[in-house]
Amino acid sequence: MIISAAIAKGGTGKSTLLRALASVALKRGYAVTLIDGDVRQNMSRWAQMLKEAGNRPETLQLVSATTPREILEAAELHNGDRSVVLIDTEGTTNDNLMAGLFASDIVVVPIFFALDDVTAAIQITDHYIPLAVETRGRPLPAVFVLTKQTIIDAKARALSELRAIIQANGTPIADHALHNRVAYRDLQSGQTLYSPDQPDAKAIAESEGVFDDVLKTFTEAMRQAA
Ligand SMILES: Nc1ncnc2c1ncn2[C@@H]1O[C@H](COP(=O)(O)OP(=O)(O)O)[C@@H](O)[C@H]1O
Ligand SMILES: [Mg+2]
């Protein structure tokens, strides 16, 4: 299965979400390939930090892919039965973003509750995904994942309009969300969700939930397309 995280906006939590999904997939025994299509190469750095900390599973591969062609080739090469390929791109509209969409079985769109982020998410579902679908001629399901959620976000009246925009879009929203947690910030060091001496059980539970939500959305979309 090939999953890309896409939104033409930095800082929404794309790379963090992919690291959380990678952690879960590795834990569940999948062979995981991270395709780093971001010029800043933050995924590559994470893989290196994991290695240095002695936390890098043998089943994790990192491919640095800086051009659309490299992204497409890596996705095809590493896709397999018990594998999860995760494509990370930078938060801007470019050919790498399109290549990630083109190659994917499903797109996860991390949404942070802010107007810019919500409009950028909708740009993906309403503009870029249809473009990719037209070019490749097969459906491309997407799922919104709320990221960096705080208790305030769940209640704030000021966010109700943003919530209404998201819901009106028609793209499924994952039942589980990634809350604002230190455990996710720690994914910028040589840690997976499971490697710390005292792993954050809540972060693990919600990330496993998001992983299942993504698989469920994909299965459902395929059933509907059939
Ligand atoms: N759920 C979360 N909880 C706490 N911090 C988060 C969470 N998601 C992302 N962050 C932090 O927000 C910043 C941007 O996240 P990142 O995943 O790098 O975004 P992107 O890849 O979309 O640019 C990073 O400092 C990251 O650690
Ligand atoms: Mg990133």
Side-chain angles (χ1 to χ4, degrees), residues 42-53:
N42 286 330
M43 274 307 182
S44 305
R45 218 164 277 138
W46 184 53
Q48 186 61 32
M49 288 188 290
L50 286 176
K51 190 172 158 200
E52 281 160 14

Side-chain angles (χ1 to χ4, degrees), residues 3 15-34 46 50 57 59-60 82-84 86 176-178 184 187 191-195 200-215:
I3 303 170
S15 303
T16 303
L17 172 59
L18 289 180
R19 288 179 192 129
L21 293 176
S23 299
V24 173
L26 288 162
K27 177 76 175 179
R28 293 197 178 167
Y30 291 96
V32 174
T33 303
L34 285 175
W46 184 53
L50 286 176
T59 45
L60 173 64
R82 278 294 288 170
S83 81
V84 172
L86 300 164
H176 300 81
L178 295 196
Y184 296 120
L187 294 177
Q191 303 290 340
T192 70
L193 279 181
Y194 301 87
S195 62
D200 181 333
K202 287 182 180 165
I204 288 175
E206 69 196 10
S207 294
E208 291 180 350
V210 169
F211 188 83
D212 291 333
D213 292 339
V214 172
L215 293 191

Side-chain angles (χ1 to χ4, degrees), residues 98 100-107 124-142 222 225:
M98 287 311 295
L101 295 181
F102 190 85
S104 294
D105 295 312
I106 185 163
V107 182
I124 294 290
T125 59
D126 293 8
H127 185 62
Y128 296 112
I129 289 179
L131 266 179
V133 168
E134 199 180 305
T135 320
R136 71 190 200 152
R138 71 183 164 103
L140 176 55
M222 288 307 104

Side-chain angles (χ1 to χ4, degrees), residues 213-225:
D213 292 339
V214 172
L215 293 191
K216 197 176 73 186
T217 307
F218 174 70
T219 313
E220 180 66 15
M222 288 307 104
R223 208 171 48 81
Q224 279 182 11

Side-chain angles (χ1 to χ4, degrees), residues 10-16 148 178-181 184-185 188:
T12 59
K14 273 185 304 299
S15 303
T16 303
K148 301 203 258 186
L178 295 196
H179 287 85
N180 194 342
R181 298 184 195 282
Y184 296 120
R185 289 212 287 273
Q188 296 174 112

Side-chain angles (χ1 to χ4, degrees), residues 11-187:
T12 59
K14 273 185 304 299
S15 303
T16 303
L17 172 59
L18 289 180
R19 288 179 192 129
L21 293 176
S23 299
V24 173
L26 288 162
K27 177 76 175 179
R28 293 197 178 167
Y30 291 96
V32 174
T33 303
L34 285 175
I35 300 181
D36 192 347
D38 182 341
V39 281
R40 294 204 187 93
Q41 295 288 291
N42 286 330
M43 274 307 182
S44 305
R45 218 164 277 138
W46 184 53
Q48 186 61 32
M49 288 188 290
L50 286 176
K51 190 172 158 200
E52 281 160 14
N55 289 330
R56 180 164 171 182
E58 301 249 318
T59 45
L60 173 64
Q61 289 213 50
L62 190 288
V63 180
S64 167
T66 48
T67 65
R69 171 179 288 270
E70 282 171 358
I71 291 174
L72 293 172
E73 284 177 356
E76 197 180 318
L77 181 68
H78 293 277
N79 192 23
D81 270 356
R82 278 294 288 170
S83 81
V84 172
V85 176
L86 300 164
I87 306 177
D88 191 29
T89 51
E90 69 188 279
T92 181
T93 306
N94 61 15
D95 292 343
N96 283 0
L97 175 105
M98 287 311 295
L101 295 181
F102 190 85
S104 294
D105 295 312
I106 185 163
V107 182
V108 291
V109 183
I111 303 192
F112 174 62
F113 262 133
L115 187 56
D116 262 6
D117 299 65
V118 170
T119 49
I122 282 165
Q123 214 184 9
I124 294 290
T125 59
D126 293 8
H127 185 62
Y128 296 112
I129 289 179
L131 266 179
V133 168
E134 199 180 305
T135 320
R136 71 190 200 152
R138 71 183 164 103
L140 176 55
V143 58
F144 287 152
V145 180
L146 302 181
T147 59
K148 301 203 258 186
Q149 292 295 291
T150 64
I151 295 166
I152 300 163
D153 289 341
K155 303 214 171 92
R157 293 255 297 283
L159 298 176
S160 62
E161 283 176 41
L162 293 184
R163 201 170 296 116
I165 296 174
I166 297 171
Q167 278 163 353
N169 180 257
T171 298
I173 305 169
D175 291 334
H176 300 81
L178 295 196
H179 287 85
N180 194 342
R181 298 184 195 282
V182 173
Y184 296 120
R185 289 212 287 273
D186 287 347
L187 294 177

